[in-house]
């Protein structure tokens, strides 16, 4: 990740840390975040030691603790880390990036990352680091916006909203890069992971207005099962060989 891009992302999330949970921890946002969290959670071991990359305010870490595990979080934003420590006082949180993880080899049973992967300039470095800190047999699961016709215009929308100063907790031009199934599969395999599985989730997107969001929720199970090309988020589960 370039220094300028990293500083831009860090500054933005430092600025919105105090209101971030109003986006993902209010009724519609909570439904959306819980849904993608379930997709990530089901690929991870219960009761394991987790590293959450891009942990934000600790929303997923909190869910993993409730599932019986222990967790460490890493995030670029110092203010987001502060909020995460307040949410999960029993956990360790540190400022850093997934492309340079400050932990020893074979330290974790699981690695997760939600809605972060598209920000990475060097995804292979992040996956290589995740592979390094995972114990043999450990699991990784990530969820992020994927490359679709529906998402291809999002960077332009972010850029325009930034230019006209539309206030949005997450909407910002960070130069995101989206990946399709084949690209994700290749990245994970090249990093050394096995049992790589790519799927799609989330038809009810957080930024839909409420009547449309609730309608999308009702048909979401069918969309994910029968028409995954209409879902927004790409999920990848994999394992470090024994």
């Amino acid at each position: 990740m370039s220094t300028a891009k990293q500083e831009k992302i860090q500054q933005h999330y430092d600025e919105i840390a105090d209101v971030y949970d109003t986006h993902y921890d209010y009724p519609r946002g909570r439904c959306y975040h819980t849904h993608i969290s379930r997709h990530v959670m089901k690929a991870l071991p219960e009761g394991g030691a987790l590293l959450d990359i891009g942990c934000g305010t600790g929303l997923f870490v909190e869910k993993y603790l409730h599932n019986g595990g222990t967790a460490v979080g890493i995030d670029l934003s110092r203010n987001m880390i502060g909020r995460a420590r307040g949410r999960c006082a029993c956990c360790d949180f540190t400022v850093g990036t997934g492309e340079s993880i400050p932990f020893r080899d074979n330290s974790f049973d699981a690695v997760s990352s939600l809605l972060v992967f598209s920000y990475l300039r060097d995804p292979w470095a992040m996956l290589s680091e995740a592979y390094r800190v995972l114990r043999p047999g450990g699991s990784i699961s990530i969820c992020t916006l994927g490359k679709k016709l529906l998402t291809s215009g999002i960077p332009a929308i972010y850029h325009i909203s930034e230019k006209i100063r539309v206030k949005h907790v997450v909407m910002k031009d960070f130069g995101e890069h989206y990946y399709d199934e084949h690209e994700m599969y290749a990245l994970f395999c090249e990093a050394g992971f096995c049992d790589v599985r790519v799927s799609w989730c989330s038809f009810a997107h957080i930024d839909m207005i409420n009547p449309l969001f609730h309608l999308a929720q009702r048909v979401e199970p069918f969309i994910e099962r029968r028409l995954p090309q209409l879902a927004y988020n790409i999920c990848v589960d994999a394992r470090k060989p024994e």
Side-chain angles (χ1 to χ4, degrees):
M1 185 185 300
S2 67
T3 301
K5 179 180 177 181
Q6 180 172 313
E7 289 177 351
K8 182 177 182 179
I9 295 172
Q10 180 179 349
Q11 180 181 358
H12 173 70
Y13 283 100
D14 277 345
E15 289 173 353
I16 59 92
D18 289 342
V19 297
Y20 183 83
D21 286 351
T22 65
H23 190 67
Y24 284 120
D25 203 23
Y26 75 109
R28 191 170 70 229
R30 191 178 303 119
C31 288
Y32 173 75
H33 194 275
T34 297
H35 184 67
I36 63 175
S37 294
R38 285 173 179 159
H39 275 261
V40 172
M41 192 80 71
K42 67 184 180 183
L44 303 177
E46 293 185 10
L50 171 77
L51 171 65
D52 188 33
I53 298 174
C55 63
T57 61
L59 288 171
F60 184 75
V61 166
E62 184 178 48
K63 291 179 174 69
Y64 193 77
L65 295 180
H66 289 164
N67 207 37
T70 61
V72 172
I74 184 171
D75 198 277
L76 192 61
S77 166
R78 189 173 301 277
N79 290 353
M80 297 288 267
I81 288 292
R83 298 288 294 188
R85 287 172 178 157
R87 180 187 296 276
C88 303
C90 64
C91 296
D92 290 328
F93 294 94
T94 188
V95 176
T97 74
E99 292 149 304
S100 181
I101 297 172
F103 299 108
R104 294 193 299 268
D105 297 359
N106 307 319
S107 297
F108 300 96
D109 301 306
V111 170
S112 61
S113 183
L114 281 71
L115 307 177
V116 172
F117 200 81
S118 59
Y119 292 166
L120 300 173
R121 182 179 180 182
D122 191 347
W124 191 89
M126 180 272 211
L127 292 176
S128 180
E129 281 288 87
Y131 186 95
R132 179 183 64 79
V133 299
L134 271 174
R135 297 181 179 120
S139 301
I140 181 171
S141 183
I142 70 105
C143 182
T144 191
L145 278 173
K147 184 191 290 185
K148 292 286 185 73
L149 180 62
L150 293 170
T151 60
S152 60
I154 289 177
I157 294 172
Y158 287 0
H159 182 71
I160 292 168
S161 70
E162 189 172 314
K163 290 294 184 183
I164 63 177
R165 299 183 180 180
V166 172
K167 292 185 178 180
H168 191 283
V169 171
V170 175
M171 190 176 288
K172 203 75 172 174
D173 177 24
F174 294 132
E176 293 92 334
H177 183 85
Y178 303 127
Y179 302 88
D180 63 23
E181 299 100 316
H182 302 296
E183 291 169 321
M184 281 295 209
Y185 186 86
L187 280 169
F188 275 72
C189 289
E190 288 168 10
F193 291 103
C194 64
D195 299 336
V196 180
R197 187 178 70 91
V198 183
S199 60
W200 292 89
C201 78
S202 303
F203 181 65
H205 193 269
I206 188 173
D207 288 326
M208 291 177 173
I209 59 175
N210 273 336
L212 184 57
F213 180 82
H214 296 314
L215 174 62
Q217 268 191 306
R218 287 198 289 271
V219 300
E220 193 167 54
F222 175 82
I223 294 293
E224 291 176 346
R225 187 173 61 254
R226 300 292 187 182
L227 298 169
Q229 63 270 24
L230 297 181
Y232 293 95
N233 286 313
I234 192 167
C235 302
V236 187
D237 311 327
R239 188 173 58 84
K240 181 176 179 175
E242 296 283 356

